[in-house]
Amino acid sequence: VGPIGRVLDWLAVHGAGPASLAGLARVGGCSRAQLVKLFRRHLGVTPMRHVWEGRTRRGIQLLKETGLTVAEIADQC
């Protein structure tokens, strides 16, 4: 598994928690610049944009499918 796979696996488990580019690079075992380059090449977005989009998708899903308040959803995303 390469850097992207390690980061995606980590995000699947810890994605709602705090995330930084430096932290994701540590998880991926590469530099921040290398991680950005790899994400752009293979996924078409930066690592932090990927995190933001995933959290946004999750928030939309929770708004549609649950009776949670916006504040509760924000805490989860």
Side-chain angles (χ1 to χ4, degrees):
V1 176
I4 293 176
R6 286 190 293 272
V7 169
L8 294 178
D9 288 346
W10 186 88
L11 286 171
V13 175
H14 304 96
S20 68
L21 182 56
L24 294 177
R26 274 192 302 279
V27 169
C30 62
S31 71
R32 291 176 289 190
Q34 182 66 15
L35 188 63
V36 169
K37 181 179 175 182
L38 289 169
F39 261 73
R40 280 190 175 147
R41 181 184 306 146
H42 297 286
L43 301 178
V45 295
T46 66
M48 296 312 296
R49 179 67 178 207
H50 180 79
V51 169
W52 181 84
E53 287 176 353
R55 290 176 179 180
T56 301
R57 280 191 302 274
R58 178 73 176 138
I60 291 168
Q61 176 189 10
L62 290 172
L63 281 170
K64 289 179 178 178
E65 298 175 2
T66 71
L68 296 173
T69 67
V70 172
E72 291 168 326
I73 290 170
D75 284 342
Q76 291 189 26
C77 296

